[in-house]
Amino acid sequence: MASEDIAKLAESLARTQVGGGQLSFKGKSLKLNTAEDAQEVIKEIEAFDGLEALRFEGNTVGVEAAKVIAKALEKKSELKRCHWSDMFTGRLRSEIPPALISLGEALITAGAQLVELDLSDNAFGPDGVRGFEALLKSSACFTLQELKLNNCGMGIGGGKILAAALTECHQKSSALGKPLALKVFVAGRNRLENDGATALAEAFGIIGTLEEIHMPQNGINHPGIMALAQAFAANALLRIINLNDNTFTEKGAVAMAETLKVLRQVEVINFGDCLVRSRGALAIAEAVKEGLHRLKELNLSFCEIKRDSALAIAEAVEDKSELEKLDLNGNTLGEEGCEQLQEILEGFSMAHTLASLSDDEGDDEEEEEDEEEEEEEEEELERGQGEEPTSVPCSPPDISTFLAFPSPEKLLRLGPKSSVLIAQQTDTSDPEKVVSAFLKVSSVFKDELAVKTAVQEAVDALMKKAFDSATFNSNAFITRLLIHMGLLKSEDKIKAIPNLYGPLMALNHMAQQDYFPKALTPILLAFVTKPNRALESCSLARHNLLQTLHHV
């Protein structure tokens, strides 16, 4: 580092010490690659007496810098809180585990007794969990109360490693007469799916002291939800349950409703965008009506709930005097249903608790049997989740059915010619139609080998046909794609797709192929680099794509 840079860094660090035993480097954008880069940070750590909390958010720490910082931490036995989210910005995934191992070993050596460990927003994937596995199993975490691992891309494998480490921590600490008493667990946006969630559920059931559980957007279907429901019942102190954007269906909702009947401390329930559906909502309404007297917030938005079930929810909150917010937006109540809902709550003097209904989907005239058909289709998807299918049952659907209602199972059932058939079905002279087909194919992307391969082959066939055409407008394609992904504003009222993981992974593959126009690279790079909430929820996929684009 240049001498003037070191001087600026030193000046900046002079302002980092705050009260309560906390040393903060938060948001300093420090790039600590080498041992030399970390010298001023080390000096601050060494000079700080009674260090209890260390904040490293918004910086980037390399392997060598982590080693020397770790050395300084070996003497900080009073350290209790590690706020280490977003501290590996721009690092290769292979760099993160050794850096975490160094830091973890230092805490163990110091004899620290952690209360909070936050490693959120670090795209370390399943291997990264190995980086702090030993720390979690050690005496340094016997006192842990808050574990935050939001948006880390752990996947099923990482979830299983984490669950085993927490279980071992509980066993070891129990043997000493002071069992692990974890209160807060945060692991949203990690692609845990059913197997990862089920493994963690077993650990939660053993721990039994949880007060807050946040696991939104993890691709969990009803088998995983049912396992979690059983575990939640063993945690009598639960106050906050956030499972937003997973897939309950009726089976998962009914199981969770049964658990809610035995919990007495629940204040916040967030099951928004969880496909609870009408029958599931009725089960939850019954649970709310029977108990949950401390309930402050209930979110059942965008759950495909019809009018009568939504009205049952409203009637169930009549005696919930502490209720502050009831969210039923984005369901199918219709104008009359919305009015009835407001009238019911006005009758209880609780109209102020009702969230906006501006995104109501209107009346749904379809029969209840439709829910049964949808449940059966969900079960098809759930069978074999996390496994590589050995056979693909059922007769092949046609291409139009897959494109209308895409799913991994339908793509696999199309057989080996699926990629050619999708390309043939798509009018590749129209960029908008190519974008639509690309997004539908990529939306079913999974890390499961068979699905991943099928998606990549379909993308290759579709995009090669399009880009090889002399009349295809590549710039129009990338513009429309960015709009549909919510990365570029448009005058047209186009609703952005809800999950960018699949499209980002498909783009990462496409950008490495010979048919991909290199002129599109800087455009993609510019928009994927820009801050965006939707991209932040897929940090691992975004990281992989950025690496590819930088090397194309």
Side-chain angles (χ1 to χ4, degrees), residues 133-134 136-139 141-142 161-175 179-180 203 206-207:
E133 179 185 17
L136 281 180
K137 293 177 178 180
S138 75
S139 59
C141 285
F142 288 178
I161 296 167
L162 176 61
L166 287 172
T167 301
E168 186 171 329
C169 180
H170 186 270
Q171 290 171 343
K172 287 181 176 178
S173 55
S174 297
L180 171 68
I206 293 168
I207 293 169

Side-chain angles (χ1 to χ4, degrees), residues 17 29 39 60 192 208 211 225 259 375 379 444 446 453 498 513 537:
Q17 183 165 336
S29 298
Q39 287 308 305
T60 179
L192 294 169
E211 298 178 14
I225 296 298
T259 287
E375 295 279 355
E379 287 180 11
V444 306
K446 291 175 68 176
T453 302
Q513 309 309 311
S537 69

Side-chain angles (χ1 to χ4, degrees), residues 429-442:
S429 65
D430 185 341
E432 182 68 27
K433 290 179 180 176
V434 175
V435 167
S436 177
F438 173 84
L439 290 174
K440 286 176 177 178
V441 170
S442 62

Side-chain angles (χ1 to χ4, degrees), residues 226-334:
M226 292 169 75
L228 287 172
Q230 185 176 353
F232 292 176
N235 287 264
L237 299 177
L238 263 179
R239 294 183 299 104
I240 299 174
I241 304 174
N242 178 6
L243 293 174
N244 188 283
D245 198 9
N246 289 292
T247 307
F248 282 40
T249 62
E250 181 185 352
K251 290 181 180 178
V254 169
M256 196 59 71
E258 289 302 308
T259 287
L260 292 175
K261 290 179 181 179
V262 303
L263 295 176
R264 298 285 180 265
Q265 308 299 321
V266 176
E267 298 175 5
V268 177
I269 298 171
N270 186 345
F271 296 161
D273 204 13
C274 280
L275 207 65
V276 165
R277 295 202 177 110
S278 297
R279 294 173 187 171
L282 285 174
I284 292 172
E286 183 182 340
V288 172
K289 193 175 186 67
E290 290 183 10
L292 300 178
H293 296 293
R294 297 189 177 186
L295 190 64
K296 294 181 179 178
E297 182 176 333
L298 175 59
N299 184 347
L300 291 171
S301 60
F302 298 94
C303 279
E304 294 191 7
I305 299 171
K306 297 177 184 178
R307 181 180 62 185
D308 290 348
S309 298
L311 298 182
I313 291 286
E315 290 169 350
V317 302
E318 178 179 4
D319 63 345
K320 308 304 174 234
S321 58
E322 296 184 32
L323 190 70
E324 298 172 1
K325 184 178 181 181
L326 173 62
D327 194 344
L328 289 165
N329 196 19
N331 289 299
T332 53
L333 281 65

